[in-house]
Amino acid sequence: MVLENSIEEFIERFRSDAAQGILYPQPEGSVLLEFVAGGQVMYLFDRTGPYIAKPGPARVIVHPVLSTLTPTEQQEEVLAVSQISALEGVGRVSRTEKGFVIVQARIPLVCGMLDHEVPGIKTGDWVSFSTLPPTHGFYLLK
């Protein structure tokens, strides 16, 4: 399944799901954005190009690809970094779209699903999840 047609289309589609946080300066030649949001330091694969992201307060669409997604009884948002660029946690489903589940887990996460839809998961459900590395980041220019 194709999750995006272009970077521009993806940004416009999910602009309202961007997370607020702080970006740190990128080392020369790095493809990772160091983004602090939701109480976590995340290293995101920079999808918007080198030298575009500016250090400081920023809005970034955080886009992981799901490894697992299961309903849960827990109703407290949790977000943790499980590997250099992978996440796990618990959150509430904000909405679903073909190939995506948007989960509010301390920050909005635009979670992609590569090979299937998750039956029975709907807006308002609480879910636990884990993601595959790398988590992608789409920096918003305003």
Side-chain angles (χ1 to χ4, degrees):
M1 168 178 270
V2 175
L3 294 179
E4 64 187 65
N5 295 317
S6 72
I7 291 170
E8 295 79 16
E9 179 268 338
F10 190 89
I11 288 172
E12 287 311 309
R13 184 175 177 191
F14 294 109
R15 177 177 291 281
S16 64
D17 301 302
Q20 288 284 131
I22 303 292
L23 268 179
Y24 285 85
Q26 281 180 279
E28 183 70 29
S30 175
V31 297
L32 296 178
L33 296 171
E34 186 175 0
F35 185 57
V36 177
Q40 294 296 311
V41 177
M42 294 170 271
Y43 293 93
L44 309 174
F45 181 68
D46 184 359
R47 294 298 309 278
T48 49
Y51 314 114
I52 292 175
K54 304 290 183 227
R59 292 183 62 225
V60 175
I61 299 168
V62 179
H63 171 47
V65 174
L66 291 170
S67 173
T68 64
L69 180 72
T70 56
T72 184
E73 295 297 317
Q74 182 176 338
Q75 294 190 3
E76 181 180 341
E77 294 180 18
V78 175
L79 181 63
V81 174
S82 59
Q83 296 179 44
I84 187 87
S85 190
L87 305 169
E88 60 186 19
V90 173
R92 190 172 191 170
V93 175
S94 301
R95 72 177 191 283
T96 62
E97 294 189 16
K98 183 175 170 81
F100 295 94
V101 174
I102 294 75
V103 177
Q104 176 63 39
R106 301 193 68 174
I107 62 171
L109 300 169
V110 179
C111 301
M113 298 181 292
L114 289 178
D115 54 4
H116 64 288
E117 298 292 326
V118 179
I121 300 292
K122 61 188 179 315
T123 300
D125 287 351
W126 284 86
V127 294
S128 63
F129 62 88
S130 62
T131 72
L132 301 168
T135 298
H136 293 213
F138 295 80
Y139 174 75
L140 301 186
L141 288 169
K142 295 295 175 204

